Amino acid sequence: MSRDTSRAANGYGGASLTDGTRARCRRAAARPMRGIHPPKMRSVVESIYHVLGMSCDHCVQSVTSALGALPGVREVTVDLAAALVTVRSDTPPPPDAVRRAVDEAGFELTEARP
C-alpha cells in the first residue's frame, strides 16, 4: 500500500502526520482553550446622587474624579442638566465618604436616590 504525501493529498506540504502528532492534536482539542474563559460576573451596584453647583465640564470632571477615587467605584457618570451623578460600584459607597468627596470637590450633595 502506498501513501500519497503530496501537498494536495494531506495539506501539510508533503509531510504526513505521525501517530504522535495526531495524538497531541486530539489531546489539545479536548482541552479548553486558555484565556478564552467568560468573565466572572460580579454584581454592580448603581447609586444616584443629586449634586448642586455643577455648571460646566470642569465641574463634571471634578465630581467624576472625586467619586471615582472611592474604593470599589467602577464608573461615574454625570447628567449636568439634571444635576444627577450615577455611581456604579462593587458595593454601595458609604454615604459619608460620598458626601466628603463631593464637598472636597466644591459641590453640595443634597440627596441620594435609590
Side-chain angles (χ1 to χ4, degrees):
M1 173 188 282
S2 69
R3 288 171 68 157
D4 185 0
T5 58
S6 69
R7 170 171 263 200
N10 63 18
Y12 292 103
S16 64
L17 292 175
T18 63
D19 288 337
T21 304
R22 284 190 184 106
R24 281 193 302 276
C25 289
R26 281 193 300 271
R27 283 193 304 269
R31 288 191 306 260
M33 295 179 68
R34 294 181 184 155
I36 311 291
H37 301 287
K40 293 182 180 177
M41 301 302 283
R42 291 190 287 178
S43 63
V44 176
V45 177
E46 188 173 277
S47 306
I48 301 173
Y49 303 97
H50 189 246
V51 178
L52 294 179
M54 298 184 297
S55 61
C56 65
D57 288 336
H58 183 266
C59 298
V60 169
Q61 198 64 356
S62 296
V63 171
T64 301
S65 63
L67 292 174
L70 295 176
V73 172
R74 293 183 178 195
E75 180 184 2
V76 178
T77 51
V78 177
D79 180 354
L80 187 59
L84 294 177
V85 179
T86 303
V87 177
R88 290 178 186 85
S89 56
D90 298 329
T91 59
D96 58 328
V98 173
R99 184 170 303 281
R100 188 170 41 254
V102 170
D103 285 343
E104 288 176 5
F107 303 96
E108 182 184 352
L109 179 69
T110 59
E111 65 179 278
R113 294 186 176 184

